[in-house]
Amino acid sequence: MAMAVFRREGRRLLPSIAARPIAAIRSPLSSDQEEGLLGVRSISTQVVRNRMKSVKNIQKITKAMKMVAASKLRAVQGRAENSRGLWQPFTALLGDNPSIDVKKSVVVTLSSDKGLCGGINSTVVKVSRALYKLNSGPEKDVKFVIVGEKAKAIMFRDSKNDISLSVTELNKNPLNYAQVSVLADDILKNVEFDALRIVYNKFHSVVAFLPTVATVLSPEIIEKESEVGGKLGELDSYEIEGGETKGEILQNLAEFQFSCVMFNAVLENACSEMGARMSAMDSSSRNAGEMLDRLTLTYNRTRQASITTELIEIISGASALEAAK
Amino acid sequence: MASNAAVPFWRAAGMTYISYSNICANLVRNCLKEPFKAEALNREKVHFSISKWAGGKPEKPSMLLDFVLGNAEKLTLGDHWF
């Protein structure tokens, strides 16, 4: 009898650690009955244990994702670095004119299909929107070509009327030039442009990505610019072999430049995606570890408190019996 | 000089320089000897889905391109250049 009294007393002393705080609001009699029915003697650690298990599982998943991203990054990094040699001669010949003022701009936004890769998709979207604002105006037209599921989802919210093409599932097979050139060909055939502005994340290191804009001009604009002089003025000093005209050469060059720049941009972006995913997963597994530590501490404290309560119960019960003798 | 004469022809056929150079590259790949040939041809897998937008939504069900460049002659993809 004395034991039962003390048990109830002990329960009332520890209402803050109770696993079910609602029980404290209910009348003490009914809650006692309920707990008596369930056979719960002390504070339940079940909830904390379940939580710990799920955090541990999440940590396992994020660790695995980090490993996968690291191995994919290694595969794509070399290719991305090698592909830089493709656009460099074009920039040397035609220059890069990010500030050129033209009537029809097309912003090609490159993003990833999958999430959980930090802020790389939102940065390209931000840069694309800034380009849209910079280049729009009276008698000027800006359209978007969106590569990747994530940027499509973000752009759909506020600039869906300006999207002219969207491309997804590019990353299913390992990226290759044939694939990107078919894509570039499709883009060239389906949009009218004076300048194509390709927005992507340039891979710098595993933790650093620079949002970058590469500009590809249409042949007519290149010709116009080279007549005016300036950066493209030196183009006339080149000799043209064979029977082709300058216009033909420039058209071929502009098309090939676009596919080469796209190839590099797609690779750089894939590389940045993997790097960003790696660091994001690294920090989330670290966070999960910290959370697990905190939960373990709570769990152990609760366990200890219940052990202490039990000891007190036994000792005071024994001493009560001693006193009754 | 043959290539110079060819310029207007493929341009007139509605091809871009990209498609022209891809077909040329494919011909070169086909000239490889067997173990390397299959490897080179299988490497050039093309897979993506593209959809045109009009009036704020995707106009038609997106077109899924999925093929190996080396098997181009087997394919007929609408008005595509393969």
Side-chain angles (χ1 to χ4, degrees):
Chain A
M1 191 60 222
M3 284 278 273
V5 172
F6 275 112
R7 203 184 299 155
R8 223 169 284 150
E9 214 47 51
R11 223 175 263 154
R12 227 164 280 156
L13 281 171
L14 291 162
S16 56
I17 333 172
R20 280 178 289 171
I22 304 161
I25 302 164
R26 283 192 223 139
S27 78
L29 191 72
S30 70
S31 81
D32 264 8
Q33 268 177 346
E34 203 186 331
E35 278 171 30
L37 278 174
L38 286 166
V40 180
R41 258 195 86 248
S42 54
I43 308 129
S44 169
T45 48
Q46 188 76 46
V47 184
V48 188
R49 244 183 295 144
N50 281 345
R51 189 86 192 279
M52 277 164 72
K53 211 189 279 170
S54 73
V55 171
K56 225 181 259 174
N57 284 340
I58 289 168
Q59 193 185 25
K60 267 183 212 157
I61 293 168
T62 52
K63 263 188 188 156
M65 275 184 88
K66 190 198 156 190
M67 292 298 166
V68 171
S71 73
K72 280 189 182 169
L73 173 73
R74 215 171 305 132
V76 84
Q77 189 179 353
R79 291 156 57 78
E81 274 160 7
N82 290 339
S83 73
R84 281 178 194 163
L86 276 174
W87 60 263
Q88 276 157 353
F90 284 110
T91 313
L93 177 66
L94 302 168
D96 192 20
N97 299 284
S99 56
I100 198 156
D101 190 37
V102 288
K103 280 208 175 97
K104 277 184 221 151
S105 300
V106 172
V107 179
V108 184
T109 309
L110 297 185
S111 71
S112 63
D113 275 346
K114 289 174 192 155
L116 292 179
C117 49
I120 63 157
N121 292 327
S122 55
T123 32
V124 283
V125 168
K126 260 181 222 160
V127 172
S128 313
R129 278 186 189 142
L131 278 177
Y132 179 83
K133 271 187 194 153
L134 274 176
N135 292 301
S136 58
E139 289 179 33
K140 282 207 238 170
D141 191 30
V142 187
K143 288 277 175 211
F144 288 113
V145 172
I146 293 175
V147 182
E149 203 72 63
K150 286 290 150 186
K152 192 173 97 182
I154 308 175
M155 294 300 244
F156 185 74
R157 267 182 251 149
D158 63 340
S159 21
K160 58 179 178 183
N161 291 323
D162 299 313
I163 301 175
S164 63
L165 273 181
S166 73
V167 181
T168 50
E169 287 180 51
L170 195 63
N171 282 321
K172 207 183 162 206
N173 297 320
L175 289 163
N176 56 54
Y177 179 75
Q179 185 185 21
V180 180
S181 67
V182 174
L183 168 68
D185 197 38
D186 272 339
I187 293 176
L188 284 179
K189 277 180 184 164
N190 284 309
V191 292
E192 281 180 32
F193 66 95
D194 288 333
L196 284 157
R197 294 164 205 275
I198 305 163
V199 187
Y200 63 99
N201 280 289
K202 190 170 180 166
F203 183 77
H204 224 247
S205 72
V206 182
V207 284
F209 330 103
L210 299 174
T212 311
V213 184
T215 317
V216 177
L217 303 175
S218 74
E220 297 84 42
I221 297 292
I222 297 178
E223 214 159 346
K224 220 187 277 174
E225 285 290 307
S226 68
E227 275 162 22
V228 175
K231 277 182 197 161
L232 290 172
E234 292 166 23
L235 214 59
D236 279 328
S237 58
Y238 287 93
E239 260 177 54
I240 295 168
E241 275 184 8
E244 290 154 322
T245 63
K246 194 179 159 196
E248 280 171 348
I249 291 265
L250 280 177
Q251 190 168 11
N252 295 348
L253 265 180
E255 283 168 2
F256 192 50
Q257 184 194 13
F258 178 55
S259 85
C260 285
V261 170
M262 271 296 275
F263 180 55
N264 173 252
V266 165
L267 275 173
E268 296 269 359
N269 205 60
C271 207
S272 308
E273 180 198 338
M274 287 308 153
R277 179 163 297 134
M278 225 177 96
S279 51
M281 287 303 114
D282 185 43
S283 60
S284 63
S285 26
R286 204 168 43 239
N287 282 346
E290 274 169 25
M291 198 182 220
L292 199 61
D293 283 351
R294 270 204 310 278
L295 284 173
T296 317
L297 205 67
T298 329
Y299 175 73
N300 284 343
R301 269 202 197 133
T302 330
R303 198 172 53 97
Q304 239 165 356
S306 74
I307 291 169
T308 317
T309 324
E310 270 168 35
L311 276 176
I312 290 172
E313 277 172 7
I314 293 164
I315 293 165
S316 36
S319 65
L321 282 176
E322 202 97 312
K325 260 187 210 168
Chain B
M1 284 294 114
S3 70
N4 287 334
V7 171
F9 293 120
W10 56 258
R11 190 62 82 184
M15 278 160 67
T16 58
Y17 181 76
I18 302 172
S19 33
Y20 175 70
S21 64
N22 254 341
I23 288 172
C24 293
N26 200 25
L27 282 174
V28 176
R29 274 185 216 112
N30 272 314
C31 294
L32 286 166
K33 279 186 179 175
E34 202 24 85
F36 307 105
K37 181 179 169 182
E39 199 183 302
L41 289 177
N42 269 317
R43 202 164 47 217
E44 310 300 315
K45 279 186 190 130
V46 178
H47 176 102
F48 61 85
S49 90
I50 186 164
S51 49
K52 269 191 185 179
W53 289 54
K57 41 181 168 310
E59 203 175 37
K60 55 180 179 184
S62 58
M63 179 170 65
L64 186 72
L65 293 176
D66 194 357
F67 51 88
V68 178
L69 204 59
N71 305 336
E73 57 272 15
K74 289 175 202 158
L75 286 140
T76 44
L77 258 162
D79 56 346
H80 217 267
W81 49 265
F82 284 105

